[in-house]
Amino acid sequence: MKRLVFIIAIIPFITSCLKYSEPKSLSLSGEYVIDKITYQETDGEPSPQDITYLTGSVYYNDTEIPPLDTIIVGETKLHMDYSIIRFDPTPNQFGGTDWYTEYYYFVHGQRTAYDLGNIVFDCDGTRRVWKVVDDSDESLTVRTSGQWVDGTRKSVILSLTRIGP
């Protein structure tokens, strides 16, 4: 009888302690608009700096290469499918969009529900690594791996909103 009471008393502790969450499958395909940029300087300055660019602002980085050097927040678009990331859209005569800059990418390191991996692509001879911070149905947040400029690490967080297929 004591054993039965003990087992009944311990069952809620055993069954309620574990929560399994399956790793999330990234849903990167679609057309996005960059609607917020947070620029961060760390590692080398006495105090870290954050600058946020909202819709209507222009983010310019002279150490970056096109098309990522000048971003008009709220207007700059990109498109991703399962293997290609595209920049520089131009509407065509049939109502669609032609994308003039394309790079092949792959997702590396997606291990858990909390580590969504990195989007890796080579852009004009240099490798770009974007850490996927958040991926929801209608938005994507990525953080660049950063650049070291004059002893300061500069990183950018891009907040993207999905606007089409």
Side-chain angles (χ1 to χ4, degrees):
M1 187 67 165
K2 286 183 183 182
R3 216 178 244 179
L4 183 61
V5 171
F6 176 73
I7 291 173
I8 292 173
I10 203 163
I11 285 177
F13 292 110
I14 293 172
T15 59
S16 66
C17 293
L18 298 176
K19 180 183 177 194
Y20 176 75
S21 57
E22 189 173 322
K24 184 176 185 178
S25 296
L26 293 177
S27 57
L28 300 176
S29 64
E31 184 176 342
Y32 295 90
V33 65
I34 300 172
D35 58 3
K36 181 181 170 186
I37 295 176
T38 303
Y39 172 81
Q40 297 179 325
E41 290 184 3
T42 58
D43 298 339
E45 298 227 347
S47 62
Q49 275 188 331
D50 286 1
I51 301 171
T52 301
Y53 297 87
L54 300 173
T55 301
S57 303
V58 176
Y59 168 77
Y60 177 72
N61 184 352
D62 60 351
T63 62
E64 186 63 82
I65 58 175
L68 303 171
D69 61 342
T70 304
I71 298 173
I72 302 170
V73 181
E75 293 182 25
T76 300
K77 297 178 183 177
L78 62 97
H79 182 272
M80 298 174 80
D81 62 15
Y82 293 103
S83 64
I84 299 175
I85 183 169
R86 296 175 175 93
F87 300 95
D88 299 329
T90 302
N92 63 26
Q93 70 224 21
F94 305 110
T97 303
D98 293 328
W99 299 87
Y100 288 102
T101 306
E102 296 182 340
Y103 303 104
Y104 287 97
Y105 77 90
F106 63 94
V107 177
H108 179 265
Q110 184 182 9
R111 296 184 230 359
T112 68
Y114 307 105
D115 183 6
L116 299 175
N118 299 314
I119 299 170
V120 181
F121 61 99
D122 293 326
C123 181
D124 295 335
T126 60
R127 179 151 284 189
R128 298 290 183 253
V129 179
W130 290 356
K131 173 77 177 154
V132 179
V133 178
D134 184 40
D135 177 37
S136 65
D137 293 337
E138 299 299 323
S139 67
L140 176 68
T141 303
V142 295
R143 177 190 203 87
T144 65
S145 59
Q147 298 176 342
W148 287 92
V149 180
D150 299 327
T152 303
R153 181 173 183 260
K154 299 180 180 191
S155 180
V156 176
I157 298 173
L158 301 173
S159 298
L160 308 155
T161 299
R162 186 173 285 129
I163 58 171

